[in-house]
Amino acid sequence: VRWGDMDALGHINNCEYFRYAESARLAFFDEVLRDIEVFTGGSGPILADIGCAFHEQMRYPADIDVGVRITRIGSSSFDVHTPVFLRGQDSAVADLHAVLVWFDYEKQQAATVPDVLRQWLVPEDEGALAVNG
């Protein structure tokens, strides 16, 4: 957490949580997609919806951990849960939920999530999906 992440009320501004989640999602997909080619043909994920439940305030200085897990895969979209934790705490200070759509950027419309990507995401406990490999 950076000093500039705080707002006039002295806690981390709510916009920063969305930036933390974005960075975590990008790092997750960099890891997942490193060894597979899914961006051929001008398609990829696009953010369709996002929300955040705030459980407690954070203040500077703080070290955080941000998790990422896929909780649902549909034919053209998938849900991503991104909890934000103060390092060393078991409960999240915020839970972000996003819907990403696999999008054909040339046609400007939703597309089917590629099978090669589905093969990297496998069912886990409580309906969550984890990276396979």
Side-chain angles (χ1 to χ4, degrees):
V1 172
R2 302 167 304 183
W3 172 260
D5 293 349
M6 289 191 301
D7 61 18
L9 299 174
H11 58 238
I12 303 305
N13 185 279
N14 57 12
C15 294
E16 298 305 322
Y17 291 82
F18 293 92
R19 288 187 178 110
Y20 303 150
E22 177 185 52
S23 293
R25 279 194 318 272
L26 290 172
F28 174 80
F29 284 109
D30 283 347
E31 182 69 26
V32 169
L33 303 177
R34 177 178 310 171
D35 297 325
I36 59 175
E37 292 187 31
V38 292
F39 290 111
T40 57
S43 64
I46 190 169
L47 185 63
D49 188 37
I50 192 165
C52 184
F54 299 98
H55 306 300
E56 67 178 270
Q57 297 178 52
M58 282 197 309
R59 301 181 189 287
Y60 177 89
D63 291 318
I64 62 172
D65 292 309
V66 182
V68 175
R69 71 178 180 162
I70 308 301
T71 57
R72 180 196 65 85
I73 295 182
S75 60
S76 63
S77 66
F78 46 97
D79 297 348
V80 182
H81 176 220
T82 313
V84 177
F85 300 89
L86 283 170
R87 185 154 298 147
Q89 287 191 0
D90 292 333
S91 59
V93 296
D95 281 296
L96 290 95
H97 298 274
V99 176
L100 290 147
V101 171
W102 200 261
F103 197 74
D104 184 322
Y105 287 94
E106 293 174 9
K107 294 179 182 177
Q108 289 295 295
Q109 64 187 26
T112 302
V113 175
D115 288 337
V116 67
L117 178 58
R118 287 177 188 280
Q119 292 171 7
W120 278 82
L121 301 170
V122 295
E124 191 180 79
D125 294 337
E126 299 176 11
L129 299 170
V131 176
N132 180 24

